């Protein structure tokens, strides 16, 4: 995976495969702590303790449950390469929380990438799932919530291409205003 | 700065168009978006499909994602599914190929034979 947005897409696909109806994504940058934190929270089927223990091992892929494979091990490797870590909490029947941290200034930290494309791709493909995106840094915070958008749209489907494009630009502006001057790659 | 209020404009404009659309039978473009697909470049391929459809004002086609179908070495894989269920599987896709699939297959109904899984497997 070349950047964090591709990891994010991959991990959120686990949530959709787990039958989640609500998925909350938080991207938090703390300059004082030099830490970038990505949290993905879903209300999917969750995992029991036995599966949770095996889930970071790439060789536990099972063909019947599409929950696991290379996605989580690759994210874990990316986080650990940049002095961060990966934590997963899950309750069977309730949902899963995946949290990855990265040291912002670490030379091996992957760039944030195109977060807006990750979100719009998911929204176009899964219009019935509610997505929340929270961005936070010293610059302030930004919130995007599909339930709010759907309310405004009335009868127009959220995956209408024109709407998808509006959402992409809306999120791109959010990324620029929250992470500009915080994450080097946003300014270039 | 974009504001949520702009959605009201889009809503009005789009509702009129939706009323004008004759049949709701949608053609579907399905992009393989598992770890293998994403790592091979499936997201830019999906973006290109959305861009080309917007550019050409085509709105009776939906673009969606699927998981790994078990032939990771041929990713990015895209399936074009007609309303009647018949399906064409394109392999080793990239944004340029995606644009051609829209122009030839989606718009003109001519399958891009050289990008299909059948053509790829014959060349082995």
């Amino acid at each position: 995976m070349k950047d964090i947005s591709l990891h994010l897409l991959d991990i959120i696909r686990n949530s959709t495969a787990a039958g989640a109806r609500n998925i909350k994504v938080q991207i938090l940058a703390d300059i004082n702590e030099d830490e970038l934190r990505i949290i993905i929270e879903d209300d999917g089927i969750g995992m029991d303790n036995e599966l949770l223990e095996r889930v970071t091992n790439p060789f536990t892929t099972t063909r019947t449950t599409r929950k696991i494979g290379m996605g989580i091990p690759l994210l874990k490797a990316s986080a650990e390469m940049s002095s961060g870590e990966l934590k997963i909490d899950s309750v069977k029947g309730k949902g899963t929380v995946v949290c990855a941290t990265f040291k912002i200034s670490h030379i091996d930290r992957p760039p944030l990438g195109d977060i807006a494309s990750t979100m719009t791709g998911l929204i176009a493909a899964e219009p019935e799932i509610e997505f929340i995106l929270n961005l936070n840094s010293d610059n302030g915070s930004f919130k995007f919530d599909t339930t709010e958008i759907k309310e405004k749209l009335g009868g127009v489907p959220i995956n209408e291409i024109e709407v998808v494009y509006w959402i992409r630009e809306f999120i791109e502006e959010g990324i620029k205003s929250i992470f500009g001057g915080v994450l080097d790659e946003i300014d270039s | 700065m974009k504001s949520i209020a702009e959605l009201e404009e889009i809503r009005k404009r789009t509702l009129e168009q939706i009323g004008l659309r004759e049949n709701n039978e949608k053609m579907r473009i399905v992009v393989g978006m598992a770890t293998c697909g994403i790592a091979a470049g499936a997201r830019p391929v999906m973006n290109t499909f959305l861009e080309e459809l917007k550019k050409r004002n085509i709105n009776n086609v939906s673009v969606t994602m699927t998981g790994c179908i078990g032939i990771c070495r041929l990713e990015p894989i895209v399936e074009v599914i007609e309303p009647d269920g018949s399906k064409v599987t394109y392999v080793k896709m990239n944004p340029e190929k995606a644009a051609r699939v829209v122009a030839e297959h989606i718009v003109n109904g001519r399958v891009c034979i050289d990008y299909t899984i059948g053509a790829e497997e014959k060349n082995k």
Side-chain angles (χ1 to χ4, degrees):
Chain A
M1 298 290 158
K2 283 190 205 143
D3 60 45
I4 290 174
S5 75
L6 292 175
H7 278 301
L8 193 59
L9 175 58
D10 197 13
I11 300 304
I12 297 175
R13 292 278 302 153
N14 290 346
S15 297
T16 64
R21 306 320 298 161
N22 295 280
I23 299 171
K24 183 177 178 183
V25 180
Q26 300 183 73
I27 306 175
L28 318 166
D30 186 331
I31 299 195
N32 289 330
E33 297 288 325
D34 195 17
E35 185 189 79
L36 180 65
R37 182 177 291 264
I38 316 277
I39 306 167
I40 302 138
E41 211 176 321
D42 74 48
D43 60 352
I45 53 172
M47 291 176 276
D48 54 30
N49 285 337
E50 190 265 334
L51 179 56
L52 194 53
E53 267 172 36
R54 292 187 293 135
V55 79
T56 54
N57 181 341
F59 298 108
T60 52
T61 304
T62 63
R63 284 250 155 207
T64 47
T65 75
R66 279 281 177 203
K67 279 291 288 176
I68 43 178
M70 293 303 287
I72 285 177
L74 285 173
L75 175 59
K76 187 170 193 269
S78 269
E80 287 173 357
M81 270 198 313
S82 35
S83 293
E85 57 176 354
L86 177 78
K87 278 190 190 152
I88 306 174
D89 287 311
S90 190
V91 179
K92 185 102 185 142
K94 292 264 184 195
T96 301
V97 181
V98 176
C99 176
T101 54
F102 302 83
K103 186 177 163 121
I104 293 174
S105 62
H106 199 289
I107 191 149
D108 287 326
R109 175 182 64 83
L112 198 55
D114 188 352
I115 298 289
S117 277
T118 286
M119 297 308 294
T120 50
L122 286 160
I123 291 166
E126 310 278 358
E128 62 295 329
I129 295 178
E130 303 301 346
F131 293 96
I132 291 178
L133 174 68
N134 272 341
L135 309 176
N136 195 287
S137 78
D138 290 4
N139 291 353
S141 59
F142 168 90
K143 189 180 177 197
F144 166 82
D145 185 343
T146 52
T147 46
E148 204 181 316
I149 305 293
K150 283 175 187 170
E151 232 166 70
K152 286 276 175 206
L153 285 173
V156 174
I158 196 164
N159 57 348
E160 273 290 316
I161 287 181
E162 205 177 335
V163 177
V164 168
Y165 268 79
W166 181 88
I167 293 172
R168 183 189 285 183
E169 286 172 17
F170 185 65
I171 295 176
E172 273 169 2
E173 283 190 4
I175 295 281
K176 281 216 175 76
S177 74
I178 303 304
F179 297 129
V182 177
L183 305 177
D184 287 346
E185 68 268 22
I186 304 297
D187 306 309
S188 55
Chain B
M1 216 37 201
K2 285 209 125 17
S3 97
I4 301 270
E6 290 167 28
L7 287 173
E8 181 59 24
E9 284 294 306
I10 296 179
R11 189 181 73 88
K12 281 187 197 145
R13 217 171 31 232
T14 321
L15 265 184
E16 283 166 21
Q17 290 173 7
I18 291 175
L20 294 174
R21 288 177 206 163
E22 291 153 18
N23 74 48
N24 287 326
E25 290 284 280
K26 278 198 167 189
M27 198 182 215
R28 289 191 300 143
I29 299 173
V30 182
V31 184
M33 200 67 79
T35 308
C36 49
I38 296 169
R43 197 184 61 184
V45 168
M46 182 170 182
N47 278 346
T48 302
F49 277 115
L50 289 168
E51 271 156 31
E52 290 295 315
L53 294 176
K54 182 169 192 274
K55 219 186 280 173
R56 294 164 184 273
N57 216 357
I58 300 170
N59 41 35
N60 60 341
V61 176
S62 71
V63 183
T64 174
M65 298 176 178
T66 189
C68 172
I69 62 170
I71 32 171
C72 310
R73 67 194 167 84
L74 298 179
E75 292 281 355
I77 297 171
V78 171
E79 293 172 329
V80 176
I81 305 171
E82 305 282 346
D84 68 7
S86 60
K87 181 173 85 176
V88 175
T89 303
Y90 291 113
V91 299
K92 294 189 177 174
M93 291 295 282
N94 60 34
E96 292 73 40
K97 290 180 178 179
R100 207 186 119 197
V101 167
V102 172
E104 295 196 10
H105 185 163
I106 308 294
V107 176
N108 291 319
R110 284 197 311 265
V111 174
C112 305
I113 300 284
D114 42 334
Y115 301 161
T116 60
I117 186 164
E120 173 67 29
E121 294 296 82
K122 215 181 281 172
N123 289 337
K124 274 204 303 188

